Amino acid sequence: MEFVRAVDEECWERGGNLCTWVYERTGENETAANFASWFVDRPLRIILILTIAFIATRLTKRWIKGLVAGIIAPKSTPTQKLEKLGIDVPSQIAAQPSARKASRAESISTLLTSTAVVIIWTITVLIILGEFGVDLAPLIAGAGIAGVALGFGAQQLVKDCISGLFMLLEDQYGIGDVIDLGEATGTVENVSLRTTVLRGVDGTVWHVPNGVVQRVGNLSQLWSVALVDVDVAYDTDLDRARELLERAANNVCEREEHVSQIIQAPRVLGVEALAADGITIRVITRVEPGAQWEIQREMREEIKNVFDADGIEIPFPQRTVWMRADEAAATTSEG
């Protein structure tokens, strides 16, 4: 199979080109006509093709950037989301910077523009090869077969990339978020089209292909909740226990290092469970993303100190073992 056609020695017969014009003006001089075709006409057409490709690339980049910015623009701001829940919006949330949005837009725009640029310049190269007499049919057919083979052999890779694209578009999580992907839980260190890299609390680095992620739990998006369950004995005065819990939680939230992290004042929700060993009371407070663990630890410590000072018992499991009399007697006679 010939990939390059024979040189057209009779370009002047096609008409409407520089070769024909030179052929007619030079008294049907074939050498001059071919020279004009190869060294003037075709270079000019190639320059025109390259210019059009360059302009198309610039316009495509600008169009994709605007399109992506419109797609990822939030329908409601963090302030509006908090107000819908009846939460007073603190200044640190209302003035939250848009760096994350800009980062997402940049990542998605880079991906889409890179793909578009590759497509535009691939078509440009094929057109230029056609100008030099290269037969494009075998090349296009071969590329189609290679594309089908690659599609079958890299299905998981394609799945990972598509999943990663939608994760970025939907802003499911970003770098710095603490997420739960099932077996892997930790802080996101890198997000790409194919994988998500997160580091667990024990320092383990997890590389999770985006295509295998079935669900995502984001523990630090927009706001977080510091939640503490405390058990008290059944004979405890619950009103007094609620009062002490609220006091302990407020003591922690009013500390200088935590004031800026609190979005909503602590609330004692009440009795959460009547367990076998005691009554469970729950207290919560909304905090800045990622601050819940530190505040929860300090709240537990403060609650323990407040309860001890007031004489409220935090129960621990107790079991009573009963021995039947006949079994005890049999054991004694055998001894």
Side-chain angles (χ1 to χ4, degrees), residues 61 70 104 108 126 132 150 152 158 212 227 231 237 278 332:
K61 287 182 177 180
R104 288 174 53 228
I108 298 171
L126 292 176
F132 284 103
L150 181 63
F152 278 108
V158 174
V212 304
L227 183 151
D231 290 343
D237 183 349
T332 304

Side-chain angles (χ1 to χ4, degrees), residues 257-273:
E257 64 271 23
H258 297 316
V259 170
S260 62
Q261 298 175 324
I262 306 303
I263 295 177
Q264 190 178 56
R267 289 190 302 143
V268 179
L269 299 184
V271 176
E272 184 67 20

Side-chain angles (χ1 to χ4, degrees), residues 276-290:
D277 302 303
I279 300 174
T280 303
I281 304 177
R282 173 167 294 181
V283 56
I284 66 169
T285 181
R286 283 192 173 91
V287 299
E288 282 193 334

Side-chain angles (χ1 to χ4, degrees), residues 57 60-61 64 112-122:
T57 300
T60 301
K61 287 182 177 180
I64 290 177
L112 296 180
T113 53
S114 298
T115 303
V117 168
V118 169
I119 293 174
I120 291 173
W121 286 101
T122 299

Side-chain angles (χ1 to χ4, degrees), residues 203-219:
T204 303
V205 177
W206 297 89
H207 297 263
V208 183
N210 294 327
V212 304
V213 176
Q214 299 298 319
R215 53 88 172 164
V216 178
N218 195 326
L219 307 179

Side-chain angles (χ1 to χ4, degrees), residues 173-180 185-188 198-199 216-221 289-290 292-293:
Y173 52 82
I175 296 176
D177 283 344
V178 180
I179 63 173
D180 179 0
T185 301
T187 304
V188 178
L198 59 156
R199 184 179 296 274
V216 178
N218 195 326
L219 307 179
S220 59
Q221 190 172 45
Q292 65 268 36
W293 294 286

